[in-house]
Amino acid sequence: EPEVTQTPSHQVTQMGQEVILRCVPISNHLYFYWYRQILGQKVEFLVSFYNNEISEKSEIFDDQFSVERPDGSNFTLKIRSTKLEDSAMYFCASSNRSNYGYTFGSGTRLTVV
Amino acid sequence: EDQVTQSPEALRLQEGESSSLNCSYTVSGLRGLFWYRQDPGKGPEFLFTLYSAGEEKEKERLKATLTKKESFLHITAPKPEDSATYLCAVPDAGNMLTFGGGTRLMVKP
């Protein structure tokens, strides 16, 4: 069964450093998303991406965050200057049409120290 | 703003003891309701989508139902491998999913 692949599975970074989280969505999917889950809390939406541009973003997704689809297969989330409160599991998801069958990756656990 | 509330927060069952999980939602317009299973340290795994009141979907020991205000995930004769956190979520017009807090299900042999 097709799956969404995320790398790395775990990233530890110093506060203030830049991190890039990588995702390979399912190949024929057109909609791409990033979500995060702070330990013990709800899964929260960050951003959605369609047709090479951001279609929606949450209040969490401020100027420190950016997304990119640098080629036909990868989808990345960059955090420019990490804060302690950015520590969370970050999930990439994709779907092949609107409001249908989002598939999530296994996540990247980001720890900011 | 869409809101999703799940209850109970945690549920302990004996193997074979059937029960139901609740997901209450408040949305401006229902565009679907999603159920996911999440194992510790993993991403949500898609289970069902329901689009209209009265709709039901089944998969093995799980059955999801939908009314105008809530959805239920019924689990029949659960097994220990059904232990997980079950999440429900609703999408807005822009495909943003709002998740509930989840129900952590523990099934003891």
Side-chain angles (χ1 to χ4, degrees), chain A residues 31 33 35 37 42-43 45 48 56 89 91 98-102 104-106 109, chain B residues 4 31 34 36 38 41-44 46 51 91-92 94-97 99-101:
Chain A
Y31 299 82
Y33 315 87
Y35 286 78
Q37 187 175 31
K42 292 184 180 184
V43 177
F45 170 80
S48 59
E56 191 172 1
M89 281 286 282
F91 296 110
S98 182
N99 287 340
Y100 182 82
Y102 305 76
F104 284 79
S106 289
R109 180 175 300 283
Chain B
V4 181
R31 296 172 184 84
F34 296 84
Y36 286 89
Q38 186 177 29
K42 300 292 184 184
F46 174 74
Y51 287 104
D92 70 359
N95 299 325
M96 178 187 94
L97 288 178
F99 280 85

Side-chain angles (χ1 to χ4, degrees), chain A residues 6-103:
Chain A
Q6 289 187 243
T7 54
S9 57
H10 191 186
Q11 171 111 35
V12 181
T13 189
Q14 295 267 346
M15 191 169 55
Q17 294 296 304
E18 174 184 288
V19 294
I20 297 176
L21 310 183
R22 292 183 165 79
C23 170
V24 179
I26 293 173
S27 60
N28 64 342
H29 283 189
L30 302 175
Y31 299 82
F32 313 110
Y33 315 87
W34 284 101
Y35 286 78
R36 79 172 186 188
Q37 187 175 31
I38 295 171
L39 188 63
Q41 297 188 22
K42 292 184 180 184
V43 177
E44 302 174 287
F45 170 80
L46 292 178
V47 65
S48 59
F49 192 86
Y50 171 71
N51 202 25
N52 284 319
E53 60 183 22
I54 290 173
S55 47
E56 191 172 1
K57 60 183 181 179
S58 72
E59 292 176 355
I60 303 167
F61 194 88
D62 61 21
D63 291 344
Q64 293 299 311
F65 291 87
S66 62
V67 290
E68 199 175 39
R69 188 154 162 82
D71 53 42
S73 58
N74 291 285
F75 181 51
T76 62
L77 174 69
K78 182 193 289 186
I79 309 175
R80 265 180 268 283
S81 178
T82 49
K83 307 184 189 73
L84 294 175
E85 54 264 38
D86 293 327
S87 296
M89 281 286 282
Y90 287 81
F91 296 110
C92 174
S94 68
S95 63
N96 62 358
R97 54 185 166 107
S98 182
N99 287 340
Y100 182 82
Y102 305 76
T103 301

Side-chain angles (χ1 to χ4, degrees), chain B residues 13-76:
Chain B
L13 298 174
Q14 287 295 130
E15 185 172 2
E17 180 186 1
S18 301
S19 189
S20 295
L21 284 53
N22 178 265
C23 171
S24 298
Y25 61 89
T26 304
V27 296
S28 55
L30 184 64
R31 296 172 184 84
L33 185 139
F34 296 84
W35 281 99
Y36 286 89
R37 169 189 170 128
Q38 186 177 29
D39 292 301
K42 300 292 184 184
E45 177 189 343
F46 174 74
L47 293 173
F48 305 109
T49 309
L50 302 166
Y51 287 104
S52 57
E55 190 175 356
E56 297 183 354
K57 294 268 179 77
E58 283 190 68
K59 180 179 179 179
E60 296 180 358
R61 294 176 292 283
L62 299 176
K63 183 167 91 171
T65 62
L66 183 66
T67 73
K68 289 185 179 179
K69 292 185 178 181
E70 57 192 350
S71 178
F72 292 93
L73 185 65
H74 307 277
I75 181 161
T76 302

